[in-house]
Amino acid sequence: MFPGPARAALTEFVLKVHSRCDLACDHCYVYEHADQSWRRRPARMTPEVLRAAAGRIAEHATTHHLASVSVILHGGEPLLLGPERMRRTLADLRRVIDPVTRLRIGMQTNGVLLSERFCDLLAEYDVAVGVSLDGGRDANDLHRRFRNGASSHEQVLRALALLRRPAYRRLWSGLLCTVDVRNDPVGVYESLLAQEPPRIDFLLPHATWDAPPWRPETGGTAYGGWLRAVYDRWRADGRPVPVRLFDSLLSTAGGGPSGTEWLGLDPVDLAVVETDGEWEQADSLKTAYDGAPATGMTVFSHPADDVAASPGLARRRSGRAGLSGECRRCPVVDQCGGGLFAHRYGVGHFDHPSVYCADLKGLIVHVNDNPPEPAPVRLDAGLPDDLIDRLAASAGDRVAIRRLVEAQTAIVRALLRGVADGLPDGGAGADGWAALTELDRRAPGSVARVAAHPYVRAWAVDCLAGTGTGARHGPDYLGAIAAAAASDAGTPVRLAVPVRAGRLHLPTVGTVLLPEVGDDTAEVHVGPGSLRVTAGDVTVVVATGAAGDSPRWQPARALVADDVTVLLEDGDPHRDCHRLPPGERLDDAGAARWAATFEAAWGIITDEVPGHAEELRTGLRALVPLRRSGDGVSEASTARQAFGGVAATETDAGSLAVLLVHEFQHSKMNALLDICDLVDGTRPTGITVGWRPDPRPAEAVLHGIYAHAAVADIWRIRADRRIDGAQAVYRRYRDWTAEAIGALERADALTPAGSRLLRLVAHSMAQWPS
Ligand code: SF4
């Protein structure tokens, strides 16, 4: 009824290693809400259950070729296990899961029992520690007290002081704060900030339509107002720390993933194992009704695949289709996603908007209307700690791509501003820039979507350099970008836009054909679902929506597959930046062929390398058909200035799957090189590699290694499946890559960051069969 993505994998597993707690917080959903299953379960997870759970996770990671999985130790209070049992638990997890995938272990604790001994142990097993804290002492004491009513605040602050020590700082993943609207929002935010956490997350107290949240008599959207106040302060402070709730809304505003099950339409990829070995859905469902999270399966009887396919999870992985009618029609559904699933429950079903609907809607509109200043591009500020490690993961890492996308967004914004800064006052370009900045306030998601188009950056770079099609369109093309964003937002606007060679192009929207105009400037009036274009004596009106079939109008077309949409980019004049000639506009039959091949290729990618599918879903924006060369050889390319764009000649689905993964590796490498020096430019090198006859510079070799390692990985998987000829192809790519790694190491031409990336890629490959 609610089909999830084909063969979608679970990647996060919450293990209830100890189901009792040393605190008695009255807002705790484990003990104080509808589900009371904790009463009949053992207090601790036994070693047998733990090992069976670890085995199921390893089995799942192997089946789906997962680059990494997360295991979160949870309770109750996981530290009640004590150091010795904790050591055995961590050792068992690492022993069983580490050999098959990268295991990230996390823990959510109230912090009361955290000690140096525990910290040493958690450091030894590389465990990330999240601590719950609801604010300053008064705010925290509202709920987070011992059974005898005593405050836990002092003990928690002691734990945080430990985690701030240099030796343990890297363990700390952040603070988790449950909102109570009786507390002063800015006061809570500042007390959390004072602890210098690496990240803050705010949770709304679990509630349903049957058991609604407490609200003050005066405030219909008190929770939304509370979060808006925190957001405003955080924004005014220049976003001093990541706040997951706000970062998620800003990401989805730009079409990115939400990164949390609380918001957005990302498929849920989490399952819980209880102390007795029962598989359950997310803990938050405990708030709905007794037995709500149950699946009827255990780690002894069922693999994780069965849990992923269970009706409850399938619905929560079905995106928009699994939402109530009201949510599906909601203008902010892409960002809200109906809120947390548990919060939709009432009168026996989940077909409602969230019980926090009005709060969420108000918050989302407020965030969209008041976006923060773009994060500055900090080329000199070093990389996030684990970015290189994540990018080295052989099967992909969505979080890393999201970081690259954020950096690219900042770069494109800086380039657009650079173009605008060179404009004289008044004139078409200045009007376009003014419209774009106004739209950025009113419809930031639309501006973000257009600015993320690979060939907007390509235009800006050429325009600033005074070369190519960018120079030919000039700074007035800012009007085209603004008109495209206005069209996306449905906002009426009137702007001057350049026409070149009889074509007026709005990026991501389409092209108006004006052959009688040649090179000129046209006035474009963007209306709801239409464009009115006037150039000299010529006036053309085209419908841009589904009804648009004017011979003057060539709409941008999408390639759609399952849960991904990519532009079939055969109209943007700035796509000609790939060193290979782009093809002309495809006819309907050609576009349909590409659509079918892409859909089939996407099925192959999600099946063979689901981690790369996650990456591509996050970062791939456009596919440019290339003109086929005279000898009919298939070709593909990425461009340094067009992150998320891949150009390729038409091919079959299996080859397209490989080339998308291959070329996107180059896109990732280009984006990484934008923010990090990987190659020591003082050492000229010419390195011979297996895939090219001519000696290559170090940067090109690093590119090749990164891309060919991913290709080798695909063929390794195909060889595992006994696909004809796969073994030979796997060996060829593996050997080329391994030899190039050796040559690049010997050349000693990389920076420490580049060397680390190379070492990690080599380490991943060392696990592969010979
Ligand atoms: S704001 Fe309300 S109606 Fe809109 S998606 Fe969220 S819960 Fe549904």
Side-chain angles (χ1 to χ4, degrees):
M1 185 174 178
F2 295 104
R7 299 200 65 206
L10 301 173
T11 56
E12 190 168 332
F13 299 87
V14 174
L15 302 190
K16 301 290 206 160
V17 289
H18 199 292
S19 76
R20 303 294 188 268
C21 191
D22 44 351
L23 292 183
C25 309
D26 60 7
H27 58 3
C28 180
Y29 54 87
V30 176
Y31 308 110
E32 305 294 339
H33 286 214
D35 182 89
Q36 290 290 304
S37 57
W38 66 275
R39 293 179 185 278
R40 62 176 166 77
R41 296 191 205 277
R44 278 195 306 269
M45 186 175 274
T46 61
E48 292 71 32
V49 171
L50 188 274
R51 284 195 283 271
R56 289 301 190 192
I57 295 166
E59 170 189 66
H60 194 65
T62 305
T63 304
H64 294 272
H65 308 287
L66 296 180
S68 65
V69 295
S70 295
V71 169
I72 312 295
L73 305 184
H74 211 280
E77 171 49 49
L79 293 180
L80 281 174
L81 273 187
E84 280 317 309
R85 283 199 187 89
M86 180 66 77
R87 173 179 291 282
R88 288 198 291 274
T89 298
L90 295 171
D92 276 345
L93 287 170
R94 291 245 169 256
R95 182 178 51 75
V96 177
I97 303 173
D98 265 346
V100 299
T101 189
R102 180 164 182 217
L103 171 61
R104 302 175 204 280
I105 307 181
M107 171 189 293
Q108 188 60 38
T109 172
N110 61 34
V112 168
L113 292 175
L114 196 70
S115 60
E116 249 176 80
R117 185 172 174 200
F118 263 128
C119 283
D120 287 337
L121 177 62
L122 299 175
E124 184 182 338
Y125 286 93
D126 196 14
V127 180
V129 183
V131 179
S132 305
L133 180 71
D134 289 352
R137 174 159 184 147
D138 289 348
N140 202 60
D141 282 357
L142 268 184
H143 302 287
R144 307 193 63 79
R145 280 179 271 114
F146 288 95
R147 222 164 298 283
N148 65 4
S151 168
S152 64
H153 192 247
E154 203 175 308
Q155 286 93 327
V156 182
L157 291 202
R158 201 180 311 134
L160 300 183
L162 259 181
L163 289 171
R164 280 195 299 273
R165 286 192 195 168
Y168 305 133
R169 176 91 204 174
R170 71 179 174 85
L171 300 179
W172 192 9
S173 58
L175 287 175
L176 189 62
C177 170
T178 302
V179 172
D180 188 317
V181 292
R182 289 171 294 180
N183 293 324
D184 170 50
V186 173
V188 166
Y189 163 74
E190 287 183 338
S191 0
L192 299 178
L193 205 57
Q195 296 304 318
E196 302 169 31
R199 179 178 299 270
I200 296 173
D201 203 3
F202 290 103
L203 304 184
L204 291 168
H206 289 318
T208 66
W209 290 100
D210 290 351
W214 178 87
R215 291 182 186 275
E217 283 172 13
T218 49
T221 58
Y223 292 88
W226 198 96
L227 289 167
R228 286 200 301 275
V230 176
Y231 173 78
D232 286 345
R233 183 52 178 264
W234 176 72
R235 176 176 173 270
D237 284 353
R239 296 188 281 165
V241 63
V243 174
R244 189 161 73 158
L245 175 68
F246 303 147
D247 288 332
S248 169
L249 291 178
L250 294 170
S251 169
T252 49
S258 75
T260 166
E261 65 166 332
W262 278 75
L263 292 165
L265 296 170
D266 290 4
V268 170
D269 55 6
L270 172 151
V272 178
V273 181
E274 280 289 353
T275 52
D276 58 0
E278 280 191 39
W279 285 111
E280 291 217 327
Q281 301 179 61
D283 255 11
S284 51
L285 280 167
K286 291 181 186 301
T287 206
Y289 57 90
D290 199 18
T295 64
M297 305 180 214
T298 75
V299 290
F300 298 107
S301 62
H302 288 80
D305 265 2
D306 289 359
V307 182
S310 65
L313 254 99
R315 174 171 187 172
R316 298 174 61 222
R317 295 154 72 83
S318 61
R320 201 182 290 247
L323 300 180
S324 66
E326 188 176 338
C327 287
R328 289 201 299 272
R329 291 188 296 275
C330 174
V332 298
V333 64
D334 288 345
Q335 288 176 272
C336 175
L340 191 70
F341 188 70
H343 296 174
R344 301 175 210 161
Y345 184 74
V347 292
H349 61 82
F350 290 90
D351 289 327
H352 304 281
S354 167
V355 72
Y356 289 107
C357 173
D359 301 277
L360 292 171
K361 207 175 278 181
L363 173 67
I364 292 167
V365 169
H366 182 77
V367 168
N368 291 350
D369 284 348
N370 300 277
E373 285 294 311
V377 188
R378 300 175 63 196
L379 298 175
D380 59 342
L383 297 174
D385 287 348
D386 59 349
L387 185 61
I388 294 282
D389 295 32
R390 285 177 176 274
L391 286 169
S394 63
D397 185 300
R398 183 178 64 179
V399 173
I401 303 309
R402 203 171 140 196
R403 290 184 184 157
L404 293 180
V405 168
E406 285 167 2
Q408 288 296 308
T409 302
I411 290 168
V412 172
R413 283 176 174 274
L415 289 167
L416 293 178
R417 180 175 287 277
V419 173
D421 284 348
L423 286 167
D425 285 345
D431 289 350
W433 178 245
L436 199 58
T437 48
E438 174 59 21
L439 279 163
D440 205 19
R441 274 189 287 279
R442 294 169 55 185
S446 295
V447 173
R449 266 189 289 281
V450 177
H453 186 52
Y455 306 104
V456 166
R457 172 171 169 173
W459 158 76
V461 170
D462 268 4
C463 182
L464 286 166
T467 57
T469 57
R472 207 161 125 59
H473 285 75
D476 290 359
Y477 193 68
L478 282 168
I481 296 168
S487 176
D488 183 273
T491 303
V493 72
R494 197 184 294 261
L495 286 164
V497 174
V499 182
R500 295 292 176 266
R503 301 171 70 83
L504 180 148
H505 184 75
L506 304 188
T508 73
V509 179
T511 305
V512 181
L513 302 181
L514 302 161
E516 57 275 71
V517 173
D519 286 5
D520 202 345
T521 297
E523 184 184 78
V524 175
H525 183 187
V526 178
S530 71
L531 298 175
R532 182 185 184 86
V533 180
T534 305
D537 299 339
V538 181
T539 295
V540 171
V541 179
V542 296
T544 51
D549 63 353
S550 159
R552 296 268 195 176
W553 177 234
Q554 295 182 337
R557 292 171 290 191
L559 300 167
V560 182
D562 201 1
D563 49 357
V564 67
T565 301
V566 172
L567 270 188
L568 176 62
E569 186 51 272
D570 57 358
D572 193 309
H574 310 293
R575 72 191 188 286
D576 189 5
C577 59
H578 284 272
R579 296 187 313 276
L580 295 167
E584 298 299 323
R585 167 92 175 175
L586 293 164
D587 60 17
D588 288 349
R593 268 198 321 276
W594 270 92
T597 308
F598 178 78
E599 189 177 10
W602 188 255
I604 294 169
I605 295 170
T606 52
D607 176 46
E608 293 182 340
V609 279
H612 282 282
E614 292 283 327
E615 288 196 343
L616 287 160
R617 190 182 295 117
T618 306
L620 181 67
R621 305 272 187 235
L623 191 47
V624 174
L626 288 174
R627 193 183 309 153
R628 189 170 281 283
S629 62
D631 56 12
V633 173
S634 292
E635 293 179 297
S637 165
T638 47
R640 177 69 189 256
Q641 304 297 350
F643 174 77
V646 169
T649 44
E650 195 173 346
T651 185
D652 61 274
S655 303
L656 183 61
V658 176
L659 80 81
L660 284 174
V661 171
H662 176 150
E663 294 300 333
F664 195 64
Q665 290 292 103
H666 287 304
S667 234
K668 285 160 61 182
M669 178 61 74
N670 283 330
L672 181 58
L673 286 163
D674 275 340
I675 56 174
C676 175
D677 287 331
L678 299 174
V679 176
D680 181 348
T682 63
R683 299 172 196 226
T685 46
I687 299 170
T688 302
V689 291
W691 59 85
R692 288 271 298 236
D694 48 332
R696 307 290 292 148
E699 185 177 303
V701 176
L702 188 60
H703 256 285
I705 288 168
Y706 196 51
H708 287 124
V711 174
D713 201 23
I714 296 178
W715 286 103
R716 176 177 69 88
I717 289 156
R718 291 180 178 180
D720 272 357
R721 295 177 177 183
R722 311 244 180 282
I723 293 174
D724 267 0
Q727 184 71 17
V729 184
Y730 158 60
R731 287 209 173 116
R732 183 167 77 241
Y733 277 98
R734 183 203 58 191
D735 293 349
W736 277 349
T737 310
E739 285 158 21
I741 288 172
L744 192 51
E745 278 172 347
R746 286 191 296 280
D748 193 22
L750 300 182
T751 63
S755 297
R756 179 168 178 78
L757 182 70
L758 192 69
R759 259 198 325 277
L760 290 167
V761 171
H763 177 74
S764 291
M765 289 181 60
Q767 324 295 320
W768 296 349
S770 54

